[in-house]
Amino acid sequence: MVLSSTTYLVYHGPKIPIKSATFVSEKFEVGPGSIVQKTLVDIKFPKGHIRVKSFDGELVDEEGNSVPLYETYLHHWFALKYFEKSNMSHQPKDPHNPLKDSIFKRNDGKCNSFILPYHWGLGTDSRGTSSKLPDPFAVEQGNPANIPPGYEEKWLLNIMTIDTRGAKNKKACTECRCDHFNLPKDFYNFTMGIDGKRLSPEYKGGIFCCQDDLQCKLKKGTHEAPTRRLSIRYKITWVDWDEYQVPVKFYILDSTDRVRRNGTESIHDCQVEYTVSKNGSSDYHVQKANIPMERGGYLIYGTAHMHAGAVNATLYRQDGRTLCTSTPKYGTGREPGNEKGYNVGMSVCYPKPGSIKIHDGETLTVESRYKSDFLTGAMGQMYIYLAEKLPQERTSPQNISSFA
């Protein structure tokens, strides 16, 4: 399904059409207590050499209705670019490895291996967090010069949902607490952690206890509740490529990154998630990482991805000054987008373009703050967009209005 529209930026010069399209992903089935963690390949994405202005997603049912978080918890969705051999597009895919021989293109962040690689993505905070980039900044995609010869540019969605209908403890399920799932008896003998080593029995909860097809423990009499088919509905806005758009780079900075130095090289070790322990001597648990930026740029946008229990996340520059603080919005009702007790959105920082420049080699500090109650699977990631140049450094119209 695709819904399209076109609006316009107001330039004191040539008009630039903003295009938009709404897509609906492949359906997946959920039932009471079920975990779904899937990768959907070759998703719909605007074609051609474009500049993306926003990318937003949410969970919907077969009728297109928004699904409330207290029924099915959207842990995350994220979009990742990859390149597939051109001659593979019309051939049958290996069902066990549909991305065989593909080349993945991660974001500009420096997390190790293939950790936090995506270009867009959120979770429960999806409906209330703006992804819009102010004009004339945008994310360049589809540039033929950046596509390897013999390959096509494609996109995938990775999703993780937890259906908490009938769960004994909804909160524990959404935190992926291991003792609230029907783990196999030998779970810790064969499950590998983020470091590639066997998971320790001390691991109390997080994404490794929320694997596809596992089951959250249910109250008696709820196993027969109906299954249903859900999708990710996502909307993308973009403009066709032209000389007036200013490209930005996207970085994910993780508060669990255990950075160490090897001579002049920075070695990153992002853990993605962590456990918050209850601390009677403090109201808050603070997790922080000092992350050197190989390349800097002008800060255009900043926000954070966090879970329920979050207080805020802050990005500091090397001299200790605050660059951006992102705070959660907690729902107060029942309707989708305002579910009581859930983190339904994170605030966004939009500095005046040119007012904040991060220098090459500067070390930034990411700090995530949660209430000091026991919590597993906590996350504290800052999303930032940096521009290497500003509009006045390019040949561009003056007095460009803001994108709304």
Side-chain angles (χ1 to χ4, degrees), residues 10 78 87 103 106 127 204 225 257 282 302 305 308 321 339-340 344 347 357 364 380 400 404:
V10 180
F78 67 71
N87 61 3
I103 301 171
R106 62 168 300 136
R127 295 183 181 116
K204 300 301 181 185
D257 191 354
S282 174
H305 172 59
R321 286 182 291 168
E339 296 94 331
K340 186 176 181 179
V344 296
S347 65
K357 184 175 183 180
L364 304 182
I400 300 171

Side-chain angles (χ1 to χ4, degrees), residues 235-246:
K235 179 180 180 180
I236 303 173
T237 65
W238 74 96
V239 296
D240 291 332
W241 183 90
D242 64 47
E243 62 183 301
Y244 303 122
Q245 299 300 305
V246 180

Side-chain angles (χ1 to χ4, degrees), residues 91-142:
Q91 295 185 15
K93 300 288 193 300
D94 179 348
H96 301 292
N97 188 12
L99 296 170
K100 182 180 180 182
D101 298 325
S102 294
I103 301 171
F104 297 93
K105 175 62 176 175
R106 62 168 300 136
N107 61 53
D108 294 289
K110 299 301 180 183
C111 278
N112 44 304
S113 185
F114 207 60
I115 296 172
L116 301 176
Y118 48 90
H119 301 266
W120 290 277
L122 288 167
T124 65
D125 45 357
S126 293
R127 295 183 181 116
T129 306
S130 174
S131 68
K132 292 179 180 179
L133 291 172
D135 182 64
F137 303 98
V139 181
E140 183 179 15
Q141 300 296 342

Side-chain angles (χ1 to χ4, degrees), residues 55-74:
F55 191 133
D56 299 297
E58 68 161 333
L59 195 63
V60 297
D61 63 20
E62 288 190 281
E63 287 72 44
N65 300 311
S66 299
V67 177
L69 296 170
Y70 51 80
E71 291 182 2
T72 303
Y73 181 87
L74 180 58

